[in-house]
Amino acid sequence: MLDSCTRPELIAEITLQPLRRYDVDAAILFSDIVVPLRAVGIDVDIKAGIGPVVETPVRTPGDLERLRVLDPGDVPYVTEAVRTLVTELDERPLIGFAGGPFTLASYLVEGGPSKNHDKTKALMYGDPALWHALLGRLADITISFLRVQVDAGASAIQLFDSWVGAVSPDDYRHAILPHTSRIFAALGSAGVPRIHFGVGTGELLGLMGEAGADVVGIDWRIPLDEAVRRVEPGKALQGNLDPAILLAPWEVIEERTRDVLNRGRTAEGHVFNLGHGVLPETDPDVLARLADLVHAESARALS
């Protein structure tokens, strides 16, 4: 997996494959949130059936020294792949992305995926100084990684703080928001839309909106019209069809998709998307029908 993320020709090919099969409106750069960590020397690998695994976790002040600043020369394959893709895509946008500070910290502290993020939250609660130093370094790495993508031509960027829904609103405000805000502020002058997404973040949506993104991603746990009430004005929403619905009969998919689109029209802007990733057992033909349905319904609403 990570080898594929460091070969420009593979990055470009895998990024383009969905666009050859589905009539989607944008491409998403093929990469992984741990790519910048590996680029700065962290001993991380993606193991089949497990996910990202860090051989030597980061848990002490001395461990922070392994998290050096990311230089564009550390990820030349990203620059090359993005430039190739921008040429291939022509007018179709390319969305770049990076991992959010809490999610990256969790993998580093836990040493791999975690159900409850116990060690991560223990560090956050028990050693605030080390916690903020860790997230500060991760924010620096993330800013550099996103700038590389924008400088090479990415049309938008998305910050995936996938597991940040594990914390309370109060903890998010004090322990995570300052670092996320700094990431979005650093990209503010780039002139590209900034998207913020996490899973299980219904109670954090207002704070995630405050962090500075232009678009807030919504998972499937709350309706979009409720999300509109929780996110401050001036933000668009992205989401939020439950990926599991795509395993149901087509008439169910059709009904639920129309419901998402109708609720999304209460927002100042809406990007239709799934509430998380496509499940492996999903029929590819259903995805194609879904894209066509969204386009047809959106065109009808505008007519």
Side-chain angles (χ1 to χ4, degrees):
M1 170 67 184
L2 285 181
D3 178 61
S4 300
C5 293
T6 59
R7 296 172 58 184
E9 71 282 2
L10 275 180
I11 297 172
E13 172 60 23
I14 298 171
T15 299
L16 290 170
Q17 282 184 356
L19 279 76
R20 298 190 187 114
R21 187 161 194 169
Y22 310 115
D23 185 22
V24 291
D25 298 320
I28 300 176
L29 182 69
F30 173 73
S31 188
D32 190 88
I33 64 170
V34 300
V35 165
L37 297 182
R38 195 177 196 190
V40 301
I42 297 297
D43 50 354
V44 59
D45 197 7
I46 298 178
K47 297 191 175 180
I50 300 175
V53 174
V54 178
E55 192 69 27
T56 308
V58 174
R59 295 174 184 167
T60 70
D63 293 331
L64 291 182
E65 299 308 312
R66 291 152 49 205
L67 286 167
R68 63 171 176 82
V69 174
L70 177 79
D71 184 89
D74 295 320
V75 287
Y77 41 86
V78 173
T79 299
E80 183 179 341
V82 171
R83 287 176 176 166
T84 299
L85 285 163
V86 169
T87 300
E88 291 279 341
L89 290 166
D90 195 19
E91 295 299 316
R92 194 172 296 195
L94 174 67
I95 302 173
F97 74 93
F102 179 85
T103 299
L104 292 178
S106 178
Y107 284 123
L108 287 172
V109 175
E110 304 285 342
S114 171
K115 183 177 180 180
N116 298 312
H117 313 281
D118 299 332
K119 294 182 178 65
T120 309
K121 293 170 77 172
L123 177 63
M124 180 178 72
Y125 296 138
D127 195 339
L130 177 56
W131 174 259
H132 284 288
L134 170 59
L135 263 66
R137 295 207 179 200
L138 291 173
D140 289 338
I141 291 170
T142 300
I143 290 168
S144 297
F145 191 57
L146 290 172
R147 278 182 175 154
V148 165
Q149 297 172 58
V150 171
D151 288 347
S155 304
I157 56 97
Q158 178 157 307
L159 190 70
F160 283 86
D161 214 345
S162 305
W163 312 136
V164 77
V167 305
S168 71
D170 192 55
D171 289 329
Y172 182 90
R173 179 177 292 282
H174 294 102
I176 299 158
L177 180 60
H179 305 283
T180 304
S181 296
R182 186 160 68 84
I183 293 170
F184 285 125
L187 274 296
S189 61
V192 300
R194 298 158 295 170
I195 309 166
H196 193 13
F197 174 74
V199 178
T201 53
E203 298 303 317
L204 304 179
L205 292 178
L207 291 166
M208 290 174 69
E210 289 179 27
D214 306 293
V215 183
V216 178
I218 315 295
D219 73 5
W220 65 93
R221 291 173 175 85
I222 69 168
L224 284 177
D225 49 355
E226 172 58 27
V228 169
R229 290 189 281 271
R230 299 187 185 192
V231 176
E232 64 183 3
K235 309 290 183 182
L237 301 184
Q238 178 175 282
N240 72 333
L241 187 71
D242 186 343
I245 288 172
L246 298 180
L247 306 179
W250 175 250
E251 57 269 21
V252 176
I253 298 171
E254 200 170 20
E255 178 186 358
R256 297 295 290 269
T257 299
R258 288 195 175 104
D259 182 62
V260 168
L261 290 169
N262 288 334
R263 293 176 188 270
R265 292 186 186 107
T266 65
E268 295 183 49
H270 176 221
V271 181
F272 181 88
N273 207 336
L274 301 185
H276 203 209
V278 176
L279 298 173
E281 57 268 39
T282 304
D283 182 347
D285 291 336
V286 168
L287 292 173
R289 293 182 72 183
L290 176 66
D292 291 342
L293 173 63
V294 171
H295 282 143
E297 290 295 315
S298 299
R300 183 159 59 189
L302 293 172
S303 61

